Amino acid sequence: IPNTTIGGKLIKTSDSARYKALGNSIALPPWRFVLGRIYKHGARTLGSLFDGIGGFPLIWSELPGTATLWASEIEPFCIAVTKLRLCGLKGGRR
């Protein structure tokens, strides 16, 4: 992602930030299966702790009638990726 601003502070994209983000990411196909099964059992909301780059909220936003209530992350680059990918998507929160 390009350089971004979080809380009025310019966050520059760096290789080290990308490595951290990817190191905390998930493989989407197996988690689509797992979250799909959880959805089939009636869950409709998600809270994402240690959000990384937003893999869980991204998958959850693809399911009909779902909402991600909150996502928690402390790395500025990861926060920027999640906001870029999910804000405005069905189920995503700003």
Side-chain angles (χ1 to χ4, degrees), residues 46-71:
L46 172 76
S48 182
L49 188 59
F50 307 113
D51 190 51
I53 55 175
F56 289 116
L58 177 66
I59 295 168
W60 200 247
S61 72
E62 296 169 354
L63 300 169
T66 60
T68 300
L69 299 180
W70 55 268

Side-chain angles (χ1 to χ4, degrees), residues 1-77:
I1 73 168
N3 294 339
T4 189
T5 303
I6 298 176
K9 181 179 176 185
L10 178 65
I11 304 298
K12 293 184 178 183
T13 301
S14 68
D15 286 343
S16 63
R18 290 174 194 228
Y19 295 143
K20 282 183 188 178
L22 293 173
N24 291 333
S25 63
I26 60 169
L28 297 179
W31 283 104
R32 275 194 178 99
F33 173 79
V34 171
L35 291 179
R37 300 285 294 190
I38 292 170
Y39 175 82
K40 286 180 182 179
H41 281 80
R44 296 297 180 263
T45 58
L46 172 76
S48 182
L49 188 59
F50 307 113
D51 190 51
I53 55 175
F56 289 116
L58 177 66
I59 295 168
W60 200 247
S61 72
E62 296 169 354
L63 300 169
T66 60
T68 300
L69 299 180
W70 55 268
S72 175
E73 181 55 61
I74 61 171
E75 293 290 333
F77 180 77

